[in-house]
Amino acid sequence: MSAITTLTMNPTVDRSARIDHVIPDCKLRCNDERFDPGGGGVNVASAIHQLGGEALAILTCGGFVGDFLKDLLNRRGIRTQLIPVAENTRENVIIDETESQHQYRFGMPGPRLSFDEQQACIQSIEQLSPAPDYLVLSGSLPPGVPDDFYGRVIEATGEKTRVILDTGGAALRSGVDQSVFLLKPNQRELEELAGSEITSDLDARDAARKLIDRGKVKAVMVSLGRGGVMLVTEDDEHRIVAPTVKIRSKIGAGDSTVGGTVLALHRGQSLPDAARFGVACGSAAVMTDGTELCRREDAERIYQEMLSF
Ligand SMILES: Nc1ncnc2c1ncn2[C@@H]1O[C@H](COP(=O)(O)OP(=O)(O)OP(=O)(O)O)[C@@H](O)[C@H]1O
Ligand SMILES: [Mg+2]
Protein backbone atom coordinates (compact mmCIF):
# COMPACT_ATOMS: atom_id res chain seq x y z
CA MET A 1 0.00 0.00 0.00
CA SER A 2 1.19 3.45 -0.83
CA ALA A 3 0.96 6.56 1.30
CA ILE A 4 0.35 8.48 -1.91
CA THR A 5 -2.28 7.23 -4.35
CA THR A 6 -3.43 8.88 -7.56
CA LEU A 7 -6.63 8.26 -9.51
CA THR A 8 -6.77 8.77 -13.28
CA MET A 9 -10.17 8.29 -14.85
CA ASN A 10 -9.05 9.24 -18.35
CA PRO A 11 -5.42 8.17 -18.80
CA THR A 12 -3.72 8.28 -22.17
CA VAL A 13 -0.85 7.04 -24.21
CA ASP A 14 0.75 10.27 -25.40
CA ARG A 15 2.13 9.80 -28.90
CA SER A 16 4.54 12.62 -29.73
CA ALA A 17 6.62 13.42 -32.77
CA ARG A 18 8.45 16.27 -34.47
CA ILE A 19 7.91 17.85 -37.85
CA ASP A 20 9.68 20.76 -39.55
CA HIS A 21 6.51 22.49 -40.59
CA VAL A 22 2.78 21.69 -40.37
CA ILE A 23 1.08 22.33 -43.72
CA PRO A 24 -2.66 21.75 -44.28
CA ASP A 25 -3.92 19.34 -46.94
CA CYS A 26 -0.51 17.63 -47.31
CA LYS A 27 0.81 14.26 -46.33
CA LEU A 28 3.21 15.18 -43.53
CA ARG A 29 6.29 13.19 -42.51
CA CYS A 30 6.89 13.15 -38.78
CA ASN A 31 9.98 11.87 -36.98
CA ASP A 32 11.30 11.13 -33.48
CA GLU A 33 8.05 9.37 -32.58
CA ARG A 34 7.75 8.40 -28.91
CA PHE A 35 5.12 7.07 -26.56
CA ASP A 36 4.61 8.07 -22.94
CA PRO A 37 2.02 7.33 -20.31
CA GLY A 38 -0.17 10.34 -19.61
CA GLY A 39 -3.25 11.71 -17.90
CA GLY A 40 -3.26 13.80 -14.73
CA GLY A 41 -2.88 11.19 -11.97
CA VAL A 42 -0.57 9.00 -14.04
CA ASN A 43 1.71 12.00 -14.58
CA VAL A 44 1.63 12.89 -10.90
CA ALA A 45 2.64 9.32 -9.95
CA SER A 46 5.36 9.34 -12.65
CA ALA A 47 6.70 12.68 -11.41
CA ILE A 48 6.82 11.33 -7.84
CA HIS A 49 8.67 8.26 -9.11
CA GLN A 50 11.15 10.46 -11.01
CA LEU A 51 11.73 12.47 -7.84
CA GLY A 52 12.69 9.34 -5.90
CA GLY A 53 9.35 8.79 -4.16
CA GLU A 54 6.69 6.17 -4.53
CA ALA A 55 3.02 6.40 -5.44
CA LEU A 56 0.33 3.97 -6.46
CA ALA A 57 -1.43 4.95 -9.70
CA ILE A 58 -5.01 3.71 -9.97
CA LEU A 59 -6.27 4.10 -13.51
CA THR A 60 -8.86 2.85 -15.96
CA CYS A 61 -7.43 0.61 -18.64
CA GLY A 62 -9.11 -0.75 -21.77
CA GLY A 63 -8.40 -2.36 -25.12
CA PHE A 64 -5.06 -2.55 -26.92
CA VAL A 65 -4.11 1.03 -26.01
CA GLY A 66 -4.78 0.11 -22.38
CA ASP A 67 -2.45 -2.90 -22.72
CA PHE A 68 0.20 -0.65 -24.22
CA LEU A 69 -0.23 1.88 -21.40
CA LYS A 70 0.10 -0.88 -18.81
CA ASP A 71 3.33 -2.01 -20.47
CA LEU A 72 4.74 1.54 -20.59
CA LEU A 73 4.00 2.04 -16.89
CA ASN A 74 5.46 -1.34 -15.91
CA ARG A 75 8.65 -0.64 -17.82
CA ARG A 76 9.04 2.61 -15.89
CA GLY A 77 8.55 0.86 -12.58
CA ILE A 78 5.35 2.73 -11.67
CA ARG A 79 3.10 0.77 -9.35
CA THR A 80 -0.40 0.51 -10.77
CA GLN A 81 -3.83 -0.80 -9.97
CA LEU A 82 -5.80 -1.13 -13.19
CA ILE A 83 -9.57 -0.86 -13.45
CA PRO A 84 -10.57 -2.76 -16.60
CA VAL A 85 -12.94 -0.92 -18.94
CA ALA A 86 -14.57 -2.20 -22.14
CA GLU A 87 -13.66 0.64 -24.52
CA ASN A 88 -10.17 1.57 -25.64
CA THR A 89 -8.03 3.85 -23.47
CA ARG A 90 -7.40 7.08 -25.37
CA GLU A 91 -4.31 8.12 -27.24
CA ASN A 92 -3.37 11.81 -27.44
CA VAL A 93 -1.16 13.30 -30.11
CA ILE A 94 1.49 15.96 -29.58
CA ILE A 95 3.33 17.46 -32.53
CA ASP A 96 6.36 19.73 -32.11
CA GLU A 97 6.82 22.01 -35.10
CA THR A 98 10.57 22.54 -35.06
CA GLU A 99 10.75 25.62 -37.35
CA SER A 100 8.33 27.70 -35.32
CA GLN A 101 8.87 25.87 -32.00
CA HIS A 102 5.09 25.70 -31.70
CA GLN A 103 3.58 22.67 -30.08
CA TYR A 104 0.23 21.22 -31.16
CA ARG A 105 -1.58 19.13 -28.56
CA PHE A 106 -4.56 17.05 -29.67
CA GLY A 107 -6.61 15.57 -26.84
CA MET A 108 -9.14 12.78 -27.45
CA PRO A 109 -12.32 12.39 -25.41
CA GLY A 110 -11.48 8.92 -24.11
CA PRO A 111 -13.59 5.80 -23.62
CA ARG A 112 -17.19 5.95 -22.45
CA LEU A 113 -17.32 4.37 -19.02
CA SER A 114 -20.33 2.35 -17.90
CA PHE A 115 -21.91 2.87 -14.49
CA ASP A 116 -20.38 -0.38 -13.22
CA GLU A 117 -16.92 0.66 -14.39
CA GLN A 118 -17.30 3.96 -12.55
CA GLN A 119 -18.41 2.13 -9.42
CA ALA A 120 -15.36 -0.14 -9.67
CA CYS A 121 -13.16 2.96 -9.59
CA ILE A 122 -14.88 4.27 -6.46
CA GLN A 123 -14.63 0.85 -4.82
CA SER A 124 -10.93 0.61 -5.57
CA ILE A 125 -10.43 3.77 -3.51
CA GLU A 126 -12.81 2.67 -0.75
CA GLN A 127 -11.03 -0.67 -0.40
CA LEU A 128 -7.50 0.69 -0.09
CA SER A 129 -6.15 -0.72 3.14
CA PRO A 130 -4.65 1.07 4.89
CA ALA A 131 -6.18 4.23 3.46
CA PRO A 132 -3.58 6.42 1.76
CA ASP A 133 -2.34 9.57 3.48
CA TYR A 134 -2.72 11.50 0.22
CA LEU A 135 -5.14 10.87 -2.62
CA VAL A 136 -4.56 12.85 -5.80
CA LEU A 137 -7.60 13.18 -8.07
CA SER A 138 -6.27 14.63 -11.26
CA GLY A 139 -7.31 15.10 -14.86
CA SER A 140 -10.42 15.22 -17.00
CA LEU A 141 -13.37 12.86 -16.71
CA PRO A 142 -14.10 10.64 -19.71
CA PRO A 143 -17.50 10.47 -21.46
CA GLY A 144 -20.32 9.01 -19.42
CA VAL A 145 -18.83 10.02 -16.09
CA PRO A 146 -20.97 12.64 -14.32
CA ASP A 147 -19.49 15.98 -13.28
CA ASP A 148 -19.93 15.17 -9.59
CA PHE A 149 -17.83 12.01 -9.85
CA TYR A 150 -14.81 13.35 -7.95
CA GLY A 151 -17.21 14.46 -5.22
CA ARG A 152 -18.46 10.89 -4.94
CA VAL A 153 -14.90 9.59 -4.73
CA ILE A 154 -14.15 12.09 -1.96
CA GLU A 155 -17.26 10.97 -0.05
CA ALA A 156 -15.98 7.39 -0.27
CA THR A 157 -12.56 8.42 1.03
CA GLY A 158 -11.81 8.03 4.74
CA GLU A 159 -11.28 11.13 6.88
CA LYS A 160 -7.64 10.24 7.44
CA THR A 161 -6.86 10.79 3.76
CA ARG A 162 -5.96 14.25 2.49
CA VAL A 163 -7.43 14.84 -0.97
CA ILE A 164 -5.64 16.89 -3.62
CA LEU A 165 -7.90 17.88 -6.51
CA ASP A 166 -6.58 19.06 -9.88
CA THR A 167 -9.16 19.20 -12.63
CA GLY A 168 -11.12 21.77 -14.60
CA GLY A 169 -14.59 22.81 -15.73
CA ALA A 170 -17.70 21.23 -14.26
CA ALA A 171 -15.72 18.48 -12.48
CA LEU A 172 -13.82 21.17 -10.59
CA ARG A 173 -16.99 23.16 -9.82
CA SER A 174 -18.67 20.20 -8.17
CA GLY A 175 -15.46 18.97 -6.49
CA VAL A 176 -15.09 22.14 -4.43
CA ASP A 177 -18.30 21.31 -2.56
CA GLN A 178 -16.46 18.41 -0.92
CA SER A 179 -13.73 18.19 1.71
CA VAL A 180 -10.54 18.93 -0.20
CA PHE A 181 -7.17 19.40 1.48
CA LEU A 182 -5.54 21.10 -1.49
CA LEU A 183 -7.00 22.42 -4.73
CA LYS A 184 -4.63 23.14 -7.65
CA PRO A 185 -6.36 25.21 -10.33
CA ASN A 186 -4.35 27.12 -12.90
CA GLN A 187 -5.25 30.72 -13.65
CA ARG A 188 -7.84 29.84 -16.30
CA GLU A 189 -9.48 27.15 -14.20
CA LEU A 190 -9.75 29.55 -11.28
CA GLU A 191 -11.29 32.19 -13.55
CA GLU A 192 -13.92 29.71 -14.70
CA LEU A 193 -14.64 28.72 -11.13
CA ALA A 194 -14.78 32.28 -9.83
CA GLY A 195 -16.74 33.52 -12.85
CA SER A 196 -14.45 36.53 -13.12
CA GLU A 197 -11.13 37.45 -14.71
CA ILE A 198 -7.91 36.93 -12.75
CA THR A 199 -5.66 39.77 -13.86
CA SER A 200 -3.46 40.20 -10.80
CA ASP A 201 -2.03 38.42 -7.79
CA LEU A 202 -4.68 40.10 -5.67
CA ASP A 203 -7.45 38.70 -7.91
CA ALA A 204 -5.94 35.21 -7.58
CA ARG A 205 -5.64 35.57 -3.83
CA ASP A 206 -9.19 36.86 -3.41
CA ALA A 207 -10.73 34.15 -5.60
CA ALA A 208 -8.81 31.46 -3.68
CA ARG A 209 -9.78 32.99 -0.34
CA LYS A 210 -13.48 32.96 -1.33
CA LEU A 211 -13.24 29.23 -2.03
CA ILE A 212 -11.66 28.57 1.34
CA ASP A 213 -14.26 30.71 3.10
CA ARG A 214 -16.95 28.36 1.82
CA GLY A 215 -15.55 25.95 4.41
CA LYS A 216 -14.78 22.81 2.42
CA VAL A 217 -11.40 23.49 0.83
CA LYS A 218 -8.44 23.84 3.21
CA ALA A 219 -5.90 25.32 0.81
CA VAL A 220 -5.71 26.54 -2.78
CA MET A 221 -2.52 26.55 -4.80
CA VAL A 222 -3.19 28.62 -7.92
CA SER A 223 -0.55 27.93 -10.54
CA LEU A 224 0.31 30.98 -12.61
CA GLY A 225 2.51 29.51 -15.33
CA ARG A 226 5.86 31.29 -15.43
CA GLY A 227 4.64 33.36 -12.48
CA GLY A 228 4.84 30.40 -10.08
CA VAL A 229 2.03 29.89 -7.59
CA MET A 230 -0.21 31.72 -5.16
CA LEU A 231 -0.79 29.50 -2.12
CA VAL A 232 -3.72 30.48 0.07
CA THR A 233 -4.49 28.59 3.29
CA GLU A 234 -7.09 29.18 5.97
CA ASP A 235 -4.89 31.66 7.82
CA ASP A 236 -2.02 32.50 5.50
CA GLU A 237 -0.97 33.30 1.95
CA HIS A 238 2.30 32.85 0.10
CA ARG A 239 3.35 34.09 -3.33
CA ILE A 240 5.99 31.67 -4.60
CA VAL A 241 7.79 32.99 -7.67
CA ALA A 242 8.98 30.54 -10.34
CA PRO A 243 12.64 30.78 -11.32
CA THR A 244 13.74 31.74 -14.81
CA VAL A 245 14.45 28.61 -16.84
CA LYS A 246 14.96 27.68 -20.47
CA ILE A 247 11.57 26.65 -21.80
CA ARG A 248 11.31 23.53 -23.92
CA SER A 249 7.85 22.09 -23.32
CA LYS A 250 5.13 23.00 -20.86
CA ILE A 251 3.60 19.53 -20.92
CA GLY A 252 3.37 18.07 -17.43
CA ALA A 253 4.27 21.30 -15.62
CA GLY A 254 1.11 21.34 -13.52
CA ASP A 255 1.31 17.61 -12.78
CA SER A 256 4.97 17.91 -11.78
CA THR A 257 4.03 20.78 -9.47
CA VAL A 258 1.38 18.61 -7.80
CA GLY A 259 3.72 15.60 -7.65
CA GLY A 260 6.52 17.58 -6.02
CA THR A 261 4.17 19.25 -3.54
CA VAL A 262 2.56 15.98 -2.42
CA LEU A 263 5.89 14.18 -2.14
CA ALA A 264 7.32 16.99 0.00
CA LEU A 265 4.21 16.96 2.21
CA HIS A 266 4.57 13.22 2.60
CA ARG A 267 8.21 13.75 3.60
CA GLY A 268 7.01 16.01 6.41
CA GLN A 269 7.45 19.49 4.94
CA SER A 270 5.01 22.27 5.73
CA LEU A 271 2.54 23.20 2.99
CA PRO A 272 4.39 26.43 1.99
CA ASP A 273 7.72 24.57 1.81
CA ALA A 274 6.11 21.72 -0.09
CA ALA A 275 4.55 24.19 -2.54
CA ARG A 276 8.00 25.76 -3.04
CA PHE A 277 9.40 22.36 -3.95
CA GLY A 278 6.35 21.88 -6.20
CA VAL A 279 7.16 25.10 -8.06
CA ALA A 280 10.76 23.90 -8.50
CA CYS A 281 9.40 20.65 -9.98
CA GLY A 282 6.99 22.50 -12.30
CA SER A 283 9.79 24.70 -13.54
CA ALA A 284 12.06 21.66 -13.96
CA ALA A 285 9.30 20.11 -16.11
CA VAL A 286 9.24 22.99 -18.60
CA MET A 287 13.00 22.52 -19.11
CA THR A 288 12.51 19.03 -20.56
CA ASP A 289 11.45 18.19 -24.11
CA GLY A 290 7.96 17.06 -25.15
CA THR A 291 6.12 14.91 -22.66
CA GLU A 292 9.07 14.36 -20.34
CA LEU A 293 8.26 15.39 -16.77
CA CYS A 294 10.67 16.91 -14.25
CA ARG A 295 14.14 15.47 -13.68
CA ARG A 296 15.11 15.01 -10.07
CA GLU A 297 18.50 16.72 -10.35
CA ASP A 298 16.95 19.80 -12.03
CA ALA A 299 14.15 20.00 -9.45
CA GLU A 300 16.51 19.71 -6.48
CA ARG A 301 18.98 22.23 -7.90
CA ILE A 302 16.22 24.74 -8.69
CA TYR A 303 14.75 24.26 -5.20
CA GLN A 304 18.13 25.00 -3.59
CA GLU A 305 18.49 28.09 -5.81
CA MET A 306 15.03 29.27 -4.76
CA LEU A 307 16.00 28.92 -1.08
CA SER A 308 19.02 31.15 -1.60
CA PHE A 309 16.91 34.17 -2.63
N1 LIG B 1 7.48 29.51 -18.40
C1 LIG B 1 7.71 28.96 -17.19
N2 LIG B 1 8.89 29.21 -16.54
C2 LIG B 1 9.13 28.68 -15.33
N3 LIG B 1 8.27 27.86 -14.69
C3 LIG B 1 7.11 27.58 -15.28
C4 LIG B 1 6.76 28.11 -16.56
N4 LIG B 1 5.52 27.66 -16.90
C5 LIG B 1 5.13 26.86 -15.88
N5 LIG B 1 6.07 26.83 -14.91
C6 LIG B 1 6.02 26.08 -13.65
O1 LIG B 1 5.02 25.08 -13.71
C7 LIG B 1 3.99 25.36 -12.77
C8 LIG B 1 2.65 24.95 -13.32
O2 LIG B 1 2.39 25.70 -14.48
P1 LIG B 1 0.93 26.05 -15.00
O3 LIG B 1 0.33 27.12 -14.17
O4 LIG B 1 1.09 26.34 -16.45
O5 LIG B 1 0.17 24.69 -14.72
P2 LIG B 1 -1.04 23.99 -15.50
O6 LIG B 1 -1.71 24.98 -16.38
O7 LIG B 1 -1.82 23.26 -14.50
O8 LIG B 1 -0.21 22.97 -16.39
P3 LIG B 1 -0.75 21.70 -17.18
O9 LIG B 1 -0.91 22.18 -18.58
O10 LIG B 1 0.37 20.73 -16.99
O11 LIG B 1 -2.04 21.27 -16.53
C9 LIG B 1 4.14 26.83 -12.43
O12 LIG B 1 3.62 27.13 -11.16
C10 LIG B 1 5.66 27.01 -12.51
O13 LIG B 1 6.28 26.51 -11.35
MG1 LIG C 1 -3.20 21.61 -14.87
Side-chain angles (χ1 to χ4, degrees), residues 90-285:
R90 68 186 170 142
E91 197 178 6
N92 287 348
V93 176
I94 298 135
I95 301 295
D96 282 319
E97 191 184 50
T98 40
E99 276 175 15
S100 67
Q101 297 196 1
H102 286 148
Q103 187 176 62
Y104 297 88
R105 295 164 71 171
F106 302 93
M108 307 301 156
R112 177 165 289 274
L113 301 194
S114 70
F115 179 76
D116 287 349
E117 289 166 348
Q118 296 171 37
Q119 285 305 107
C121 295
I122 295 179
Q123 275 163 15
S124 71
I125 301 291
E126 250 169 353
Q127 288 165 3
L128 289 171
S129 176
D133 296 329
Y134 295 94
L135 174 65
V136 180
L137 305 175
S138 175
S140 63
L141 296 173
V145 177
D147 297 337
D148 67 352
F149 182 80
Y150 281 138
R152 284 159 52 191
V153 175
I154 297 169
E155 277 172 5
T157 304
E159 294 203 339
K160 176 186 164 290
T161 300
R162 290 169 156 186
V163 173
I164 291 91
L165 180 63
D166 180 6
T167 188
L172 174 60
R173 258 197 310 284
S174 66
V176 297
D177 292 330
Q178 302 296 324
S179 300
V180 172
F181 172 71
L182 178 65
L183 196 71
K184 207 297 281 166
N186 61 23
Q187 189 172 345
R188 179 181 40 76
E189 289 158 348
L190 186 63
E191 281 180 344
E192 276 175 27
L193 198 57
S196 56
E197 259 194 308
I198 308 283
T199 56
S200 66
D201 286 348
L202 290 183
D203 288 348
R205 183 199 64 185
D206 293 346
R209 171 75 53 220
K210 273 189 193 146
L211 284 172
I212 292 172
D213 287 347
R214 287 167 59 179
K216 290 289 198 179
V217 176
K218 291 265 177 250
V220 181
M221 181 166 72
V222 189
S223 66
L224 302 162
R226 71 162 63 96
V229 306
M230 169 73 74
L231 173 70
V232 181
T233 65
E234 278 170 321
D235 41 32
D236 225 343
E237 39 209 44
H238 304 261
R239 181 71 179 81
I240 303 167
V241 177
T244 305
V245 294
K246 181 155 173 54
I247 299 162
R248 289 192 182 277
S249 159
K250 266 203 61 189
I251 293 180
D255 298 328
S256 296
T257 305
V258 173
T261 304
V262 178
L263 180 61
L265 282 170
H266 167 63
R267 288 174 170 167
Q269 288 198 274
S270 67
L271 185 51
D273 284 342
R276 196 163 292 114
F277 184 61
V279 168
C281 295
S283 299

Side-chain angles (χ1 to χ4, degrees), residues 25-36:
D25 305 323
C26 283
K27 189 183 275 186
L28 301 171
R29 306 276 173 210
C30 300
N31 46 53
D32 295 335
E33 184 186 35
R34 62 175 277 166
F35 298 91
D36 293 281

